[in-house]
Amino acid sequence: GQSLEQPSEVTAVEGAIVQINCTYQTSGFYGLSWYQQHDGGAPTFLSYNALDGLEETGRFSSFLSRSDSYGYLLLQELQMKDSASYFCAPAGSYQLTFGKGTKLSVIP
Amino acid sequence: ETGVTQSPTHLIKTRGQQVTLRCSSQSGHNTVSWYQQALGQGPQFIFQYYREEENGRGNFPPRFSGLQFPNYSSELNVNALELDDSALYLCASSLTGTSSDTQYFGPGTRLTVL
C-alpha cells in the first residue's frame, strides 16, 4: 500500500533552522517534490529530488535517500513569511501524492 | 503568480446538482492535473490530461470527469454532487506532465455543497 508521514505541526523561532522530515511508501516512485502552501493560497513548488543527496536553493535545501524512503526539507534563516504548510509529494509517472502536510509556525 | 487561472473563485451548489470548473494553463503548457483539497488535508490527485487525452486517474468515481481543449484549457465536471465534494479544487499545469516537471497551481475554486 501507500503511506506518507510527516509531522503535523512544527514551531520554530525567527532566524532559526528547521527540518521537516518525510517518510514515504509508494509504488512507481520517481522522485520527491516539496510544495509550500500559505493559508488560502495555492501550493507553490519548492524543490524536486530525483537522485539521492542534497539539493540547495537559497535558504531551502531538500534531501532524499531512496534506499530509506526518506527525505527532508531544511529551512534556514527562518522568516515570518515562512509560516505555511509544507507538503512532501512523492512523484509517480505522472501524478503527485500529497499527505496532510506540516504546518510550520514561525514565532518572533 | 503562476499564470494559471481558475474560475469561478467560489461556488455554492446543492446536493445532486452538477458543476463545471474551469482552468487556463500557463502559456506553453500542454498538461493539466486536477486535485481536490479538503479542509486540513493535502491535495488529492483526480486526473491528468495531456494533449486532450486523459493520461492518468486517481481514486475518484466516474462522476468526476474532465476535458482538455486544443488551447490546453481544461474543465472539471462533477455530477450528482455529494456533501463530501465540498473542497478546494486546484488545477496545475506543467510543460510535459512527466514526474520531474514542476506543476504550477492555480488559485483554486472553493466549492461548497449544501
Side-chain angles (χ1 to χ4, degrees):
Chain A
Q2 297 194 50
S3 68
L4 189 59
E5 289 189 20
Q6 54 181 124
S8 57
E9 294 183 16
V10 172
T11 299
V13 178
E14 190 176 16
I17 299 173
V18 71
Q19 179 173 313
I20 299 174
N21 297 319
C22 170
T23 58
Y24 59 87
Q25 184 177 353
T26 62
S27 56
F29 178 80
Y30 283 69
L32 189 67
S33 294
W34 288 90
Y35 281 77
Q36 177 194 62
Q37 186 177 31
H38 287 97
D39 283 349
T44 56
F45 173 80
L46 293 177
S47 69
Y48 177 76
N49 293 67
L51 303 175
D52 286 359
L54 192 68
E55 295 278 346
E56 298 180 68
T57 308
R59 295 188 297 114
F60 294 0
S61 302
S62 57
F63 172 83
L64 175 64
S65 169
R66 283 174 163 266
S67 60
D68 296 323
S69 297
Y70 165 76
Y72 67 71
L73 180 69
L74 191 73
L75 297 85
Q76 303 182 72
E77 301 173 18
L78 281 173
Q79 302 175 9
M80 299 299 292
K81 68 177 182 179
D82 297 330
S83 293
S85 291
Y86 292 83
F87 296 91
C88 66
S93 57
Y94 49 79
Q95 83 282 12
L96 296 174
T97 300
F98 290 83
K100 295 184 179 181
T102 298
K103 188 173 179 61
L104 171 65
S105 298
V106 181
I107 57 176
Chain B
E1 297 298 323
T2 63
V4 179
T5 60
Q6 293 187 242
S7 63
T9 307
H10 296 85
L11 201 53
I12 299 175
K13 291 285 189 178
T14 56
R15 195 170 48 184
Q17 285 189 310
Q18 178 266 342
V19 69
T20 297
L21 310 181
R22 295 179 175 81
C23 171
S24 289
S25 301
Q26 189 176 111
S27 178
H29 287 187
N30 57 25
T31 303
V32 65
S33 302
W34 284 91
Y35 293 84
Q36 179 196 67
Q37 186 174 24
L39 205 58
Q41 305 293 316
Q44 299 301 301
F45 176 73
I46 303 175
F47 43 58
Q48 183 185 84
Y49 277 80
Y50 171 72
R51 294 188 174 181
E52 303 177 57
E53 297 287 331
E54 188 178 288
N55 191 40
R57 189 177 184 90
N59 190 26
F60 280 81
R63 61 189 184 85
F64 286 78
S65 62
L67 280 174
Q68 188 181 31
F69 300 100
N71 66 355
Y72 301 133
S73 64
S74 175
E75 287 183 354
L76 165 66
N77 298 288
V78 187
N79 294 321
L81 282 167
E82 301 177 359
L83 297 179
D84 284 349
D85 295 334
S86 294
L88 180 68
Y89 287 85
L90 297 158
C91 74
S93 75
S94 55
L95 194 57
T96 64
T98 58
S99 59
S100 60
D101 221 3
T102 299
Q103 295 197 18
Y104 296 88
F105 283 82
T109 293
R110 174 74 61 186
L111 173 66
T112 302
V113 182
L114 302 176

PDB file of all heavy atoms in Angstrom, chain B residues 85-106:
ATOM      1  N   ASP B  85     -18.128  16.437  -1.410  1.00  0.00           N
ATOM      2  CA  ASP B  85     -17.417  17.064  -2.533  1.00  0.00           C
ATOM      3  C   ASP B  85     -17.024  18.504  -2.201  1.00  0.00           C
ATOM      4  O   ASP B  85     -16.295  19.141  -2.975  1.00  0.00           O
ATOM      5  CB  ASP B  85     -18.286  17.055  -3.794  1.00  0.00           C
ATOM      6  CG  ASP B  85     -18.575  15.650  -4.299  1.00  0.00           C
ATOM      7  OD1 ASP B  85     -17.756  14.738  -4.025  1.00  0.00           O
ATOM      8  OD2 ASP B  85     -19.609  15.460  -4.959  1.00  0.00           O
ATOM      9  N   SER B  86     -17.500  19.011  -1.094  1.00  0.00           N
ATOM     10  CA  SER B  86     -17.114  20.360  -0.667  1.00  0.00           C
ATOM     11  C   SER B  86     -15.611  20.383  -0.421  1.00  0.00           C
ATOM     12  O   SER B  86     -15.087  19.629   0.409  1.00  0.00           O
ATOM     13  CB  SER B  86     -17.845  20.733   0.616  1.00  0.00           C
ATOM     14  OG  SER B  86     -19.226  20.851   0.399  1.00  0.00           O
ATOM     15  N   ALA B  87     -14.919  21.241  -1.156  1.00  0.00           N
ATOM     16  CA  ALA B  87     -13.454  21.263  -1.085  1.00  0.00           C
ATOM     17  C   ALA B  87     -12.933  22.388  -1.963  1.00  0.00           C
ATOM     18  O   ALA B  87     -13.684  23.052  -2.665  1.00  0.00           O
ATOM     19  CB  ALA B  87     -12.862  19.932  -1.569  1.00  0.00           C
ATOM     20  N   LEU B  88     -11.613  22.567  -1.904  1.00  0.00           N
ATOM     21  CA  LEU B  88     -10.919  23.460  -2.833  1.00  0.00           C
ATOM     22  C   LEU B  88     -10.445  22.605  -4.002  1.00  0.00           C
ATOM     23  O   LEU B  88      -9.792  21.585  -3.808  1.00  0.00           O
ATOM     24  CB  LEU B  88      -9.720  24.111  -2.135  1.00  0.00           C
ATOM     25  CG  LEU B  88      -8.874  25.075  -2.961  1.00  0.00           C
ATOM     26  CD1 LEU B  88      -9.675  26.344  -3.289  1.00  0.00           C
ATOM     27  CD2 LEU B  88      -7.587  25.428  -2.214  1.00  0.00           C
ATOM     28  N   TYR B  89     -10.801  23.000  -5.203  1.00  0.00           N
ATOM     29  CA  TYR B  89     -10.389  22.262  -6.393  1.00  0.00           C
ATOM     30  C   TYR B  89      -9.283  23.052  -7.088  1.00  0.00           C
ATOM     31  O   TYR B  89      -9.459  24.209  -7.469  1.00  0.00           O
ATOM     32  CB  TYR B  89     -11.581  22.018  -7.318  1.00  0.00           C
ATOM     33  CG  TYR B  89     -12.501  20.976  -6.739  1.00  0.00           C
ATOM     34  CD1 TYR B  89     -13.492  21.327  -5.811  1.00  0.00           C
ATOM     35  CD2 TYR B  89     -12.346  19.629  -7.054  1.00  0.00           C
ATOM     36  CE1 TYR B  89     -14.303  20.379  -5.243  1.00  0.00           C
ATOM     37  CE2 TYR B  89     -13.168  18.668  -6.488  1.00  0.00           C
ATOM     38  CZ  TYR B  89     -14.138  19.048  -5.579  1.00  0.00           C
ATOM     39  OH  TYR B  89     -14.932  18.085  -5.003  1.00  0.00           O
ATOM     40  N   LEU B  90      -8.159  22.389  -7.237  1.00  0.00           N
ATOM     41  CA  LEU B  90      -6.963  23.007  -7.787  1.00  0.00           C
ATOM     42  C   LEU B  90      -6.617  22.394  -9.125  1.00  0.00           C
ATOM     43  O   LEU B  90      -6.682  21.175  -9.288  1.00  0.00           O
ATOM     44  CB  LEU B  90      -5.776  22.797  -6.841  1.00  0.00           C
ATOM     45  CG  LEU B  90      -5.875  23.431  -5.456  1.00  0.00           C
ATOM     46  CD1 LEU B  90      -4.943  22.727  -4.476  1.00  0.00           C
ATOM     47  CD2 LEU B  90      -5.534  24.913  -5.519  1.00  0.00           C
ATOM     48  N   CYS B  91      -6.261  23.217 -10.070  1.00  0.00           N
ATOM     49  CA  CYS B  91      -5.668  22.687 -11.281  1.00  0.00           C
ATOM     50  C   CYS B  91      -4.203  23.104 -11.305  1.00  0.00           C
ATOM     51  O   CYS B  91      -3.825  24.117 -10.710  1.00  0.00           O
ATOM     52  CB  CYS B  91      -6.393  23.130 -12.540  1.00  0.00           C
ATOM     53  SG  CYS B  91      -6.113  24.839 -13.028  1.00  0.00           S
ATOM     54  N   ALA B  92      -3.402  22.298 -11.952  1.00  0.00           N
ATOM     55  CA  ALA B  92      -1.974  22.569 -12.044  1.00  0.00           C
ATOM     56  C   ALA B  92      -1.517  22.261 -13.462  1.00  0.00           C
ATOM     57  O   ALA B  92      -1.832  21.192 -13.991  1.00  0.00           O
ATOM     58  CB  ALA B  92      -1.196  21.710 -11.052  1.00  0.00           C
ATOM     59  N   SER B  93      -0.800  23.179 -14.052  1.00  0.00           N
ATOM     60  CA  SER B  93      -0.303  22.917 -15.401  1.00  0.00           C
ATOM     61  C   SER B  93       1.193  22.650 -15.352  1.00  0.00           C
ATOM     62  O   SER B  93       1.901  23.100 -14.447  1.00  0.00           O
ATOM     63  CB  SER B  93      -0.611  24.084 -16.341  1.00  0.00           C
ATOM     64  OG  SER B  93       0.236  25.196 -16.126  1.00  0.00           O
ATOM     65  N   SER B  94       1.653  21.879 -16.310  1.00  0.00           N
ATOM     66  CA  SER B  94       3.078  21.594 -16.422  1.00  0.00           C
ATOM     67  C   SER B  94       3.436  21.481 -17.890  1.00  0.00           C
ATOM     68  O   SER B  94       2.572  21.309 -18.744  1.00  0.00           O
ATOM     69  CB  SER B  94       3.445  20.325 -15.653  1.00  0.00           C
ATOM     70  OG  SER B  94       2.667  19.229 -16.071  1.00  0.00           O
ATOM     71  N   LEU B  95       4.732  21.542 -18.126  1.00  0.00           N
ATOM     72  CA  LEU B  95       5.195  21.611 -19.511  1.00  0.00           C
ATOM     73  C   LEU B  95       4.969  20.295 -20.248  1.00  0.00           C
ATOM     74  O   LEU B  95       4.474  20.271 -21.375  1.00  0.00           O
ATOM     75  CB  LEU B  95       6.684  21.977 -19.519  1.00  0.00           C
ATOM     76  CG  LEU B  95       7.287  22.428 -20.844  1.00  0.00           C
ATOM     77  CD1 LEU B  95       6.540  23.622 -21.399  1.00  0.00           C
ATOM     78  CD2 LEU B  95       8.761  22.765 -20.647  1.00  0.00           C
ATOM     79  N   THR B  96       5.305  19.170 -19.579  1.00  0.00           N
ATOM     80  CA  THR B  96       5.233  17.894 -20.279  1.00  0.00           C
ATOM     81  C   THR B  96       4.439  16.828 -19.526  1.00  0.00           C
ATOM     82  O   THR B  96       4.111  15.810 -20.098  1.00  0.00           O
ATOM     83  CB  THR B  96       6.643  17.324 -20.510  1.00  0.00           C
ATOM     84  OG1 THR B  96       7.238  17.043 -19.248  1.00  0.00           O
ATOM     85  CG2 THR B  96       7.505  18.289 -21.283  1.00  0.00           C
ATOM     86  N   GLY B  97       4.168  17.039 -18.249  1.00  0.00           N
ATOM     87  CA  GLY B  97       3.436  16.038 -17.495  1.00  0.00           C
ATOM     88  C   GLY B  97       4.279  14.928 -16.923  1.00  0.00           C
ATOM     89  O   GLY B  97       3.765  14.027 -16.281  1.00  0.00           O
ATOM     90  N   THR B  98       5.576  14.978 -17.128  1.00  0.00           N
ATOM     91  CA  THR B  98       6.424  13.958 -16.510  1.00  0.00           C
ATOM     92  C   THR B  98       6.607  14.258 -15.031  1.00  0.00           C
ATOM     93  O   THR B  98       6.409  15.390 -14.584  1.00  0.00           O
ATOM     94  CB  THR B  98       7.800  13.899 -17.192  1.00  0.00           C
ATOM     95  OG1 THR B  98       8.411  15.195 -17.086  1.00  0.00           O
ATOM     96  CG2 THR B  98       7.660  13.517 -18.651  1.00  0.00           C
ATOM     97  N   SER B  99       7.006  13.262 -14.297  1.00  0.00           N
ATOM     98  CA  SER B  99       7.045  13.397 -12.841  1.00  0.00           C
ATOM     99  C   SER B  99       8.036  14.452 -12.376  1.00  0.00           C
ATOM    100  O   SER B  99       7.852  15.057 -11.333  1.00  0.00           O
ATOM    101  CB  SER B  99       7.387  12.058 -12.204  1.00  0.00           C
ATOM    102  OG  SER B  99       8.643  11.612 -12.674  1.00  0.00           O
ATOM    103  N   SER B 100       9.083  14.684 -13.155  1.00  0.00           N
ATOM    104  CA  SER B 100      10.089  15.654 -12.725  1.00  0.00           C
ATOM    105  C   SER B 100       9.696  17.082 -13.060  1.00  0.00           C
ATOM    106  O   SER B 100      10.365  18.030 -12.658  1.00  0.00           O
ATOM    107  CB  SER B 100      11.425  15.336 -13.396  1.00  0.00           C
ATOM    108  OG  SER B 100      11.285  15.394 -14.809  1.00  0.00           O
ATOM    109  N   ASP B 101       8.618  17.219 -13.786  1.00  0.00           N
ATOM    110  CA  ASP B 101       8.176  18.537 -14.233  1.00  0.00           C
ATOM    111  C   ASP B 101       7.504  19.296 -13.092  1.00  0.00           C
ATOM    112  O   ASP B 101       6.662  18.746 -12.396  1.00  0.00           O
ATOM    113  CB  ASP B 101       7.169  18.339 -15.359  1.00  0.00           C
ATOM    114  CG  ASP B 101       7.349  19.325 -16.467  1.00  0.00           C
ATOM    115  OD1 ASP B 101       8.291  20.136 -16.387  1.00  0.00           O
ATOM    116  OD2 ASP B 101       6.538  19.314 -17.397  1.00  0.00           O
ATOM    117  N   THR B 102       7.849  20.554 -12.940  1.00  0.00           N
ATOM    118  CA  THR B 102       7.211  21.384 -11.922  1.00  0.00           C
ATOM    119  C   THR B 102       5.746  21.592 -12.287  1.00  0.00           C
ATOM    120  O   THR B 102       5.425  21.887 -13.442  1.00  0.00           O
ATOM    121  CB  THR B 102       7.908  22.745 -11.832  1.00  0.00           C
ATOM    122  OG1 THR B 102       9.266  22.540 -11.456  1.00  0.00           O
ATOM    123  CG2 THR B 102       7.220  23.634 -10.810  1.00  0.00           C
ATOM    124  N   GLN B 103       4.873  21.421 -11.302  1.00  0.00           N
ATOM    125  CA  GLN B 103       3.460  21.696 -11.520  1.00  0.00           C
ATOM    126  C   GLN B 103       3.155  23.073 -10.956  1.00  0.00           C
ATOM    127  O   GLN B 103       3.480  23.378  -9.808  1.00  0.00           O
ATOM    128  CB  GLN B 103       2.597  20.622 -10.858  1.00  0.00           C
ATOM    129  CG  GLN B 103       2.788  19.251 -11.501  1.00  0.00           C
ATOM    130  CD  GLN B 103       1.680  18.274 -11.174  1.00  0.00           C
ATOM    131  OE1 GLN B 103       0.600  18.639 -10.748  1.00  0.00           O
ATOM    132  NE2 GLN B 103       1.957  16.993 -11.391  1.00  0.00           N
ATOM    133  N   TYR B 104       2.527  23.901 -11.755  1.00  0.00           N
ATOM    134  CA  TYR B 104       2.174  25.265 -11.366  1.00  0.00           C
ATOM    135  C   TYR B 104       0.679  25.298 -11.072  1.00  0.00           C
ATOM    136  O   TYR B 104      -0.142  25.068 -11.965  1.00  0.00           O
ATOM    137  CB  TYR B 104       2.529  26.253 -12.480  1.00  0.00           C
ATOM    138  CG  TYR B 104       4.011  26.324 -12.748  1.00  0.00           C
ATOM    139  CD1 TYR B 104       4.624  25.463 -13.651  1.00  0.00           C
ATOM    140  CD2 TYR B 104       4.815  27.241 -12.083  1.00  0.00           C
ATOM    141  CE1 TYR B 104       5.989  25.507 -13.892  1.00  0.00           C
ATOM    142  CE2 TYR B 104       6.181  27.314 -12.319  1.00  0.00           C
ATOM    143  CZ  TYR B 104       6.763  26.438 -13.223  1.00  0.00           C
ATOM    144  OH  TYR B 104       8.112  26.490 -13.443  1.00  0.00           O
ATOM    145  N   PHE B 105       0.356  25.591  -9.823  1.00  0.00           N
ATOM    146  CA  PHE B 105      -1.028  25.531  -9.387  1.00  0.00           C
ATOM    147  C   PHE B 105      -1.748  26.869  -9.580  1.00  0.00           C
ATOM    148  O   PHE B 105      -1.155  27.948  -9.407  1.00  0.00           O
ATOM    149  CB  PHE B 105      -1.097  25.157  -7.895  1.00  0.00           C
ATOM    150  CG  PHE B 105      -0.858  23.700  -7.628  1.00  0.00           C
ATOM    151  CD1 PHE B 105       0.433  23.195  -7.560  1.00  0.00           C
ATOM    152  CD2 PHE B 105      -1.932  22.835  -7.456  1.00  0.00           C
ATOM    153  CE1 PHE B 105       0.655  21.847  -7.314  1.00  0.00           C
ATOM    154  CE2 PHE B 105      -1.708  21.489  -7.208  1.00  0.00           C
ATOM    155  CZ  PHE B 105      -0.420  20.997  -7.138  1.00  0.00           C
ATOM    156  N   GLY B 106      -3.021  26.760  -9.925  1.00  0.00           N
ATOM    157  CA  GLY B 106      -3.877  27.923  -9.929  1.00  0.00           C
ATOM    158  C   GLY B 106      -4.380  28.216  -8.534  1.00  0.00           C
ATOM    159  O   GLY B 106      -4.133  27.441  -7.601  1.00  0.00           O
TER     160      GLY B 106
END
